[in-house]
């Protein structure tokens, strides 16, 4: 026979199990001792960005030993294999024939000059040097994706230009994806290219007649696939919560920034990248780098208030939000009360139960259950009166592009009843009836992601919950991958 203390302990155990108040009766979730870290979403460290921008060196001229007409380096081409039509003009759409204007003249023939050492160098060609052939250079630029500026100049004593490359011309035409000024004429040559013969002095390269021609401004970029332009171009970079870090890219390439956002690791509190801000850093009047700042919380022009620091000026700032195919993935539009309420459906979601089940999938207005805001969804009988799995799905099928890749992202918490009772928690993420991901076992709100392929019209479902192993779901998104 158990001792009185043991009996007491058993009684306490029974009471605690009975005392578990289900979500439907506004029970409070189990509290993990270390779960109370309420993190404030981070904002950008603009001093760090400015300091780093002043140190990066992304300025180049055509290399002395590269053959003409090399492809633009592939790392600048980030669009996927099956680019759609709207991807094609990704570095700029040109409706009319581009109008180049002379930005600076070369020095008179015979005087040593310098070529541009600038950002966003793309590639170069040589044009027939029988004349100072500016037009051939401009015509060539119009065929180079992203070319908005050329630097045309003679380079003497380059052995490869003089004797090796088939074009036999020393009139170089260098293409850039940004517009440069005469103050960036910083490459004076002075390299040895001719072979050493005996004790003869090797002649050094030198440059003459280095002129610059450009468009009046950078071409407006096409909006990247899966995104919407939120604002810009303006002179203000975003300074907003939900910041996930930045990258410098070597030209103003919105698609490269979009790919960085899509591939960004997740923030454990905030989730995946949902927004990016691309801007050009001009330091002492010279384009210096292109910042791609990423956020898990979308923002807009109202927070684009960082205009630069010291010699750094923010230019061409644009914000792009990742297009969410899921209406109300945050469940926030469920708000028929201001305190506590729940229902099997909301304007955007439908919860269903097995025939003998009761409220096995529901949507709650109750801030303590939500990952953010006031509402979230619950899988598992709201009143705890059955242990059957519920199914939650968007009211409308998701419109996708057939064959395109997408990601389903959510936060899920199977913590309500504590580690022991939640050990059996299980929720499947299903895409057209097929399991593509999910969660299992005890967990506080954690990020859950599944990769899927669109068929054109797709059904997303969350299936699971077996009370008292309840699972809450919040802050879901479906993004193009
Ligand atoms: C590109 O499209 C083809 C034909 O539609 C398909 O077979 C292929 O898997 C696609 N590739 C990618 C990377 O999506
Ligand atoms: C044209 O380029 C070739 C090859 O570099 C060079 O030998 C020749 O002198 C150049 N002609 C003029 C007029 O500069
Ligand atoms: C180069 O070498 C030759 C013979 O080897 C010599 O006569 C001449 O003075 C040398 N020139 C120089 C500049 O050293």
């Amino acid at each position: 026979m158990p001792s009185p203390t043991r009996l007491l302990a058993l009684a306490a155990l029974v009471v605690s199990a009975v005392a578990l108040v289900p979500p439907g009766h506004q029970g409070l979730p189990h509290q993990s001792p270390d779960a109370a870290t309420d993190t404030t979403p981070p904002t950008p460290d603009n001093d760090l960005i400015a300091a780093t921008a002043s140190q990066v060196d992304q300025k180049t001229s055509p290399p002395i030993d590269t053959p003409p007409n090399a492809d633009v380096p592939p790392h600048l081409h980030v669009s996927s294999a099956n680019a759609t039509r709207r991807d094609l003009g990704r570095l700029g759409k040109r409706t009319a024939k581009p109008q180049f204007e002379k930005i600076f003249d070369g020095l008179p023939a015979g005087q040593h000059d310098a070529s541009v050492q600038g950002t966003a160098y793309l590639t170069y060609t040589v044009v027939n040097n029988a004349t100072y052939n500016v037009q051939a250079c401009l015509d060539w630029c119009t065929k180079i994706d992203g070319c908005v500026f050329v630097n045309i100049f003679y380079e003497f004593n380059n052995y490869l230009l003089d004797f090796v490359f088939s074009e036999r011309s020393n009139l170089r035409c260098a293409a850039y994806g940004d517009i440069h000024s005469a103050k960036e004429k910083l490459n004076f040559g002075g390299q040895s290219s001719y072979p050493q013969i005996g004790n003869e002095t090797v002649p050094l390269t030198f440059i003459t007649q280095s002129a610059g021609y450009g468009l009046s401004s950078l071409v407006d970029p096409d909006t990247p696939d899966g995104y919407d332009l939120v604002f810009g171009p303006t002179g203000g970079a975003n300074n907003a919560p939900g910041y996930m870090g930045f990258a410098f890219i070597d030209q103003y390439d919105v698609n490269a920034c979009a790919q960085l956002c899509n591939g960004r690791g997740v923030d454990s509190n905030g989730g995946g990248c949902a927004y990016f801000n691309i801007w050009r850093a001009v330091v002492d009047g010279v384009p210096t780098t292109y910042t791609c700042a990423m956020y898990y919380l979308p923002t807009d022009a109202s927070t684009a208030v960082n205009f630069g620091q010291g010699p750094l000026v923010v230019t061409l700032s644009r914000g792009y939000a990742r297009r969410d195919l899921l209406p109300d993935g945050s469940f926030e539009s469920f708000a028929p009360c201001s305190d506590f309420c729940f229902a099997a459906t909301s304007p955007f979601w439908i919860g269903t139960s097995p025939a003998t089940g009761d409220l096995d999938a529901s949507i709650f207005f109750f801030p303590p259950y939500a990952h953010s805001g006031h509402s979230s969804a619950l899988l598992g009988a709201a009143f705890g009166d059955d242990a059957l799995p519920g199914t939650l799905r968007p009211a409308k099928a998701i419109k996708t592009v057939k064959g395109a890749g997408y990601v389903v992202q959510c936060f899920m918490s199977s913590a309500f009843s504590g580690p022991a009772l939640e050990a059996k928690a299980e929720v499947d993420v299903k895409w057209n009836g097929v399991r593509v991901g999910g969660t299992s076992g005890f967990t506080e709100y954690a990020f859950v992601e599944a990769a899927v392929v669109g068929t054109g019209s797709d059904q997303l479902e969350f299936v699971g919950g077996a009370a008292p192993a309840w699972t809450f779901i919040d802050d879901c998104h479906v993004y193009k991958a």
Side-chain angles (χ1 to χ4, degrees), residues 26-63:
Q26 208 175 333
L28 285 180
H30 157 89
Q31 290 284 318
S32 282
D34 56 350
T37 46
D38 187 41
T39 48
T40 312
T43 53
D45 182 348
N46 293 314
D47 291 335
L48 174 70
I49 295 177
T52 318
S54 307
Q55 279 164 20
V56 292
D57 185 3
Q58 297 179 331
K59 297 171 185 150
T60 356
S61 325

Side-chain angles (χ1 to χ4, degrees), residues 241-254:
Y243 175 66
M244 306 178 81
F246 73 94
F248 287 145
I249 44 184
D250 58 8
Q251 61 173 288
Y252 195 91
D253 187 343
V254 296

Side-chain angles (χ1 to χ4, degrees), residues 93-99:
K93 50 175 162 279
R94 287 184 170 128
T95 42
K97 199 167 156 50
Q99 290 300 312

Side-chain angles (χ1 to χ4, degrees), residues 31-326:
Q31 290 284 318
S32 282
D34 56 350
T37 46
D38 187 41
T39 48
T40 312
T43 53
D45 182 348
N46 293 314
D47 291 335
L48 174 70
I49 295 177
T52 318
S54 307
Q55 279 164 20
V56 292
D57 185 3
Q58 297 179 331
K59 297 171 185 150
T60 356
S61 325
I64 187 170
D65 54 357
T66 308
N69 304 311
D71 284 344
V72 177
H75 66 276
L76 301 174
H77 286 287
V78 288
S79 55
S80 62
N82 287 349
T84 57
R85 182 65 194 91
R86 52 182 289 131
D87 287 323
L88 293 179
R90 69 193 174 84
L91 288 172
K93 50 175 162 279
R94 287 184 170 128
T95 42
K97 199 167 156 50
Q99 290 300 312
F100 287 92
E101 51 197 65
K102 189 194 288 176
I103 294 179
F104 54 84
D105 252 324
L107 295 179
Q111 286 186 35
H112 283 201
D113 202 346
S115 65
V116 165
Q117 180 86 13
T119 56
Y121 168 70
L122 300 172
T123 184
Y124 85 95
T125 192
V126 286
V127 292
N128 187 330
N129 67 352
T131 58
Y132 187 61
N133 210 338
V134 172
Q135 195 55 48
C137 181
L138 300 183
D139 290 347
W140 171 79
C141 172
T142 62
K143 294 183 204 113
I144 302 296
D145 200 9
C147 181
V148 296
F149 173 87
V150 289
N151 179 208
I152 182 167
F153 57 92
Y154 291 101
E155 184 168 302
F156 290 92
N157 294 334
N158 182 322
Y159 188 82
L160 299 173
L161 295 184
D162 291 348
F163 300 107
V164 176
F165 300 148
S166 60
E167 293 82 358
R168 292 287 189 277
S169 171
N170 63 352
L171 186 54
R172 292 235 222 187
C173 170
Y176 288 86
D178 204 344
I179 296 161
H180 296 291
S181 61
K183 75 192 281 193
E184 296 172 77
K185 293 211 281 187
L186 294 169
N187 180 357
F188 295 88
Q191 292 171 279
S192 52
S193 167
Y194 273 51
Q196 179 83 50
I197 299 166
N199 59 1
E200 279 175 46
T201 311
V202 174
L204 299 181
T205 60
F206 66 93
I207 282 154
T208 66
Q209 298 186 67
S210 169
Y213 291 80
L215 303 182
S216 54
S217 66
L218 294 200
V219 180
D220 284 348
D222 283 344
T223 301
D225 201 15
Y227 285 81
D228 291 308
L229 175 68
V230 178
F231 78 92
T234 74
N238 287 118
N239 196 3
Y243 175 66
M244 306 178 81
F246 73 94
F248 287 145
I249 44 184
D250 58 8
Q251 61 173 288
Y252 195 91
D253 187 343
V254 296
N255 274 281
C257 193
Q259 294 301 317
L260 287 171
C261 181
N262 290 358
R264 191 83 183 167
V266 299
D267 179 279
S268 57
N269 294 307
C273 183
Y275 178 92
F276 70 82
N277 176 215
I278 184 171
W279 51 275
R280 176 174 66 172
V282 173
V283 177
D284 292 322
V286 171
T288 298
T289 189
Y290 308 87
T291 302
C292 172
M294 291 157 273
Y295 291 82
Y296 57 78
L297 297 175
T299 183
D300 56 31
S302 68
T303 64
V305 294
N306 167 24
F307 304 104
Q309 284 105 324
L312 185 153
V313 175
V314 173
T315 61
L316 298 176
S317 175
R318 287 182 172 90
Y320 293 90
R322 213 166 166 188
R323 194 176 303 146
D324 194 347
L325 275 61
L326 204 53

